[in-house]
Amino acid sequence: MAASSSYEGVLLGMGNPLLDISAVVDDAFLAKYDIKLNDAILAEEKHLPMYDELASKSNVEYIAGGATQNSIRVAQWMLRIPGATSYMGCIGKDKFGEEMKKNAQAAGVTAHYYEDEAAPTGTCAVCVVGGERSLIANLSAANCYKSEHLKRPENWALVEKAKYIYIAGFFLTVSPDSIQLVAEHAAANNKVFLMNLSAPFICEFFRDAQEKVLPYVDYIFGNETEAKIFAKVRGWETENIEEIALKISQLPLASGKQKRIAVITQGADPVVVAEDGKVKTFPVILLPKEKLVDTNGAGDAFVGGFLSQLVQEKSIEDCVRAGCYAANVIIQRPGCTYPEKPDFN
């Protein structure tokens, strides 16, 4: 391992910090609130009473979440280097916000939160049925992030310091101008910029914002459902994940960018990596069904594990192996949580 000082602030994440309110529910609960299993959506009026109902359940757990923050926390856990990661997003000035700050600190992540005076900290309802999860995000304060915060010298310093910058697609609904600033900075300074397709609704309804930033993206992550929707809205007329990954990797690049690598996960099926006009697949670590606790955070953990090796300039094989390891750990625990130390070599 190289000296830890050279890794200070090497990885920066920006996104929507949300407190996960997680509980095991039944099909009737999903039906009541019109939720599909394995979905990831933004809350509508009809979902709002659900948060209190979840909170009243005896098995409820509160876990600091939000896709990008999960990935950064997992990367920090895998890296074991103090101060290697940092994170920005918007929280409220409230109990949940304080909880979030404590959690980031405990995880060893340097968090610079923008604190909104009016809106409460965002929450995400995590409804678990048979180990599978559905996510309904009530962004609240997370939706209030402004690029003014990013431009403050003490925050922009995190951007300057970072060599790798990761932003989940969910942030496209909040602050596309912040993403653009960081993406252009990465291109101009030969840094690695990474994004995630994040959810079918992002690929479908935020296509323009996604399209604008894609040329700057060096690594794009996604799962098979998102990849298929991404292809469908572009009229690609294929559901073959390897073909789709290849096409995504070959979309136009901004000047100064050499190439794009597309990494698509498929649950228990192999991870697909498209690079330089070629596709490779990597098997995942299979888990017996009885060991599965919940899939919440699996994709985020995969990215976190992947990033932990990428910032150390390890091979794509090692990055994928670390991603699979982290995802395997997380699905055996509630939410995006992990044991004290990783057991990865």
Side-chain angles (χ1 to χ4, degrees):
M1 194 63 194
S4 59
S5 62
S6 65
Y7 283 98
E8 198 198 332
V10 68
L11 174 62
L12 167 66
M14 288 170 65
N16 301 337
L18 303 171
L19 194 72
D20 284 356
I21 304 173
S22 179
V24 174
V25 300
D26 52 20
D27 291 328
F29 184 95
L30 296 186
K32 177 178 175 182
Y33 291 106
D34 192 22
I35 299 162
K36 290 201 282 288
L37 196 55
N38 271 323
D39 219 350
I41 57 172
L42 294 178
E44 297 169 41
E45 204 67 37
K46 65 183 175 189
H47 298 122
L48 298 180
M50 176 184 60
Y51 294 85
D52 286 337
E53 190 175 338
L54 273 180
S56 69
K57 291 197 176 291
S58 59
N59 63 7
V60 68
E61 296 192 71
Y62 295 90
I63 304 161
T68 306
Q69 186 163 244
N70 284 343
S71 296
I72 297 297
R73 274 179 31 233
V74 169
Q76 179 62 48
W77 170 68
M78 293 276 291
L79 274 164
R80 317 295 305 153
I81 303 169
T85 63
S86 53
Y87 175 79
M88 284 188 264
C90 185
I91 57 176
K93 288 198 161 176
D94 52 19
K95 186 172 95 244
F96 284 172
E98 288 306 311
E99 196 62 36
M100 199 80 85
K101 286 196 265 191
K102 272 206 300 260
N103 200 286
Q105 203 175 351
V109 175
T110 306
H112 286 204
Y113 294 114
Y114 171 53
E115 293 180 55
D116 192 84
E117 298 289 340
T121 296
T123 50
C124 182
V126 181
C127 306
V128 180
V129 181
E132 302 291 327
R133 57 81 178 136
S134 297
L135 308 175
I136 305 91
N138 185 8
L139 296 181
S140 298
N143 205 25
C144 302
Y145 191 84
K146 307 275 185 294
S147 55
E148 286 66 60
H149 177 261
L150 174 63
K151 290 173 187 164
R152 285 183 206 155
E154 67 275 24
N155 301 325
W156 190 254
L158 297 181
V159 179
E160 294 278 359
K161 203 179 280 183
K163 297 189 180 86
Y164 297 80
I165 300 167
Y166 173 67
I167 303 179
F170 292 119
F171 204 50
L172 286 166
T173 76
V174 173
S175 188
D177 55 332
S178 296
I179 299 178
Q180 204 64 30
L181 280 170
V182 169
E184 288 171 9
H185 165 85
N189 294 278
N190 206 13
K191 294 179 175 187
V192 180
F193 183 60
L194 313 93
M195 280 197 81
N196 203 311
L197 300 178
S198 290
F201 84 88
I202 298 286
C203 301
E204 214 164 352
F205 304 115
F206 291 87
R207 181 182 167 175
D208 292 351
Q210 195 182 49
E211 205 97 297
K212 194 173 172 208
V213 74
L214 262 174
Y216 295 93
V217 179
D218 299 281
Y219 288 79
I220 185 87
F221 298 93
N223 65 27
E224 75 279 35
T225 317
E226 294 148 10
K228 284 176 187 173
I229 296 286
F230 186 95
K232 192 176 145 194
V233 300
R234 282 165 182 75
W236 287 354
E237 292 184 1
T238 177
E239 290 215 326
N240 179 303
I241 299 302
E242 296 188 18
E243 266 179 61
I244 295 169
L246 201 55
K247 285 177 96 92
I248 293 174
S249 72
Q250 291 169 333
L251 287 169
L253 291 161
S255 67
K257 289 288 173 186
Q258 303 308 311
K259 66 174 180 184
R260 179 184 305 106
I261 298 177
V263 183
I264 309 294
T265 58
Q266 315 185 76
D269 291 327
V271 177
V272 174
V273 177
E275 175 184 9
D276 293 331
K278 291 190 278 296
V279 175
K280 284 186 189 153
T281 60
F282 301 89
V284 303
I285 308 159
L286 294 174
L287 187 73
K289 187 80 173 134
E290 65 274 11
K291 283 193 161 177
L292 174 70
V293 174
D294 74 54
T295 54
N296 180 27
D300 304 336
F302 175 86
V303 173
F306 188 102
L307 290 169
S308 73
Q309 304 307 300
L310 188 68
V311 303
Q312 298 177 69
E313 300 181 6
K314 297 282 174 70
S315 69
I316 200 97
E317 286 77 5
D318 284 342
C319 294
V320 172
R321 206 164 54 82
C324 292
Y325 165 78
N328 185 268
V329 168
I330 263 85
I331 61 178
Q332 298 181 61
R333 304 167 64 91
C336 198
T337 61
Y338 37 76
E340 194 193 340
K341 288 195 169 81
D343 173 25
F344 175 79
N345 41 33

